[in-house]
Amino acid sequence: MTQQQKPVAVAIMGPTASGKTAAALAIARNHPVEIISVDSALVYREMDIGTAKPSSQELASVPHHLIDIIDPLESYSVAQFSSDTIRLVGEIAARGRLPLLVGGTMMYFKGLTDGLDDLPTADPDLRARIEEDAARTGWPAMHAKLAALDPATAARLAPNDAQRINRALEIIELSGKPMSELLARRAKPELPFELVSFALEPSDRAVLHERIATRFDQMLGSSDDSGIVAEVARLRARGDLNPNLPSMRCVGYRQSWEYLDGRIDRAQLRETGIIATRQLAKRQLTWLRSMPERIVIDCLGPDPARPILEYLAGLQQ
């Protein structure tokens, strides 16, 4: 199959609060599309408010995929996402519709386009032992240990990035090799479709920060009986979840769990939640800058969907 014969899929990437969902729905009003979610939080059921999940009306207006597919107790890997997405793109194209890959989980995009790593699977016992070491010495000390063993990986991680430092140290102990070396061996795949990537990025980051604060306030709601706090309280009441699960480490959920534990007050919940969301947006923008093939659109412009619609109009000529 030649490049010209491959089906086309369009990606709409961007940091949180950049308007990706609105742009995708605007395109759906003009073209027969199906949306594939590229979001590591939207995969979870029962997590609607803190993930800014599309409303029931929005979900009903256009077919969506990879939303509400697993329980918060479960995990969903980059490998699973890549496999599911390749299958879905083929099925959507066969139905004569345009696959739209919409989201901000850059690790999913990179795994899909750059290939999957050959890293060892997680070892819960080893991971627990590393966490015990960190409890004694602190994560900055563990980061320093990683810097001595794998300086390339340590250089891109914050000293308190517990999850990723733990994983990098785990990989070294399991494989005997630094994570950076294993990632460098990764082979770039040839996708069975042509992916055209648009990135919604802010011309003024301060405005994006204001959007993030506004959206977090909306998620927080006016009291603990509504909004994300009530959502996390319901999840805690199940009795089988804990704050170390990937689902509960999502931005907003982690801070709400701490609030319900009494470790922070409501003002601190708001402050730490907004800060964490801004840090997430910063990481997303850093990932985007490493994708030179993307077509950048100002997400603060009057009509961010227009350049994508113009591209699609050109395809039909």
Side-chain angles (χ1 to χ4, degrees), residues 15-298:
T16 184
S18 60
K20 299 181 293 295
T21 297
L25 293 174
I27 293 165
R29 288 192 290 270
N30 291 272
H31 292 273
V33 307
E34 295 188 29
I35 294 173
I36 300 172
S37 171
V38 189
D39 191 301
S40 60
L42 292 184
V43 296
Y44 296 111
R45 295 186 287 270
E46 301 182 60
M47 294 172 57
D48 302 331
I49 298 172
T51 62
K53 192 168 289 178
S55 67
S56 57
Q57 292 84 1
E58 290 170 336
L59 291 172
S61 67
V62 57
H64 284 71
H65 303 275
L66 304 187
I67 293 178
D68 289 337
I69 59 172
I70 62 171
D71 185 84
L73 195 59
E74 301 169 323
S75 61
Y76 187 70
S77 69
V78 176
Q80 287 172 295
F81 168 79
S82 295
S83 175
D84 287 343
T85 296
I86 289 171
R87 171 181 55 81
L88 286 166
V89 166
E91 293 172 354
I92 294 167
R95 289 191 284 268
R97 296 175 178 169
L98 174 73
L100 274 186
L101 281 63
V102 183
T105 299
M106 301 306 160
M107 196 182 311
Y108 284 0
F109 279 118
K110 292 287 280 187
L112 179 66
T113 59
D114 292 354
L116 302 173
D117 54 57
D118 189 22
L119 302 180
T121 56
D123 183 324
D125 293 337
L126 174 57
R127 188 164 291 187
R129 179 158 56 81
I130 293 171
E131 288 178 354
E132 290 174 2
D133 291 344
R136 290 193 299 269
T137 65
W139 283 109
M142 301 301 284
H143 182 267
K145 177 182 178 180
L146 177 62
L149 298 170
D150 186 357
T153 297
R156 62 182 179 81
L157 300 182
N160 285 305
D161 193 342
Q163 180 182 355
R164 292 179 176 84
I165 294 171
N166 192 325
R167 176 60 174 154
L169 290 170
E170 177 190 42
I171 287 168
I172 292 171
E173 188 150 345
L174 290 172
S175 69
K177 299 181 184 300
M179 186 165 112
S180 57
E181 179 182 331
L182 295 177
L183 291 176
R185 298 177 181 176
R186 178 170 51 192
K188 191 177 180 70
E190 181 178 352
L191 292 173
F193 56 89
E194 181 183 354
L195 183 64
V196 181
S197 299
F198 294 87
L200 303 185
E201 302 178 27
S203 54
D204 185 344
R205 197 170 294 191
V207 177
L208 182 67
H209 287 177
E210 291 173 5
R211 283 189 182 182
I212 287 170
T214 298
R215 191 163 81 167
F216 195 84
D217 284 336
Q218 292 169 345
M219 290 178 179
L220 198 54
S222 58
S223 73
D224 292 353
D225 296 327
S226 63
I228 190 172
V229 171
E231 185 168 79
V232 175
R234 288 193 298 271
L235 290 164
R236 282 165 59 106
R238 289 176 31 157
D240 60 348
L241 302 178
N242 67 76
N244 294 318
L245 289 168
S247 59
M248 295 298 102
R249 288 201 300 264
C250 290
V251 172
Y253 290 86
R254 180 173 66 251
Q255 292 77 17
S256 296
W257 194 290
E258 292 175 351
Y259 170 71
L260 290 168
D261 275 344
R263 295 166 58 190
I264 58 176
D265 60 27
R266 189 174 170 89
Q268 291 171 315
L269 164 59
R270 179 183 184 273
E271 179 184 7
T272 57
I274 291 172
I275 290 172
T277 310
R278 288 175 176 172
Q279 290 171 338
L280 169 62
K282 181 179 180 181
R283 291 194 299 272
Q284 290 169 316
L285 288 167
T286 299
W287 275 94
L288 284 169
R289 286 196 293 270
S290 71
M291 300 176 176
E293 71 282 0
R294 77 196 191 284
I295 301 168
V296 178
I297 300 171
D298 183 9

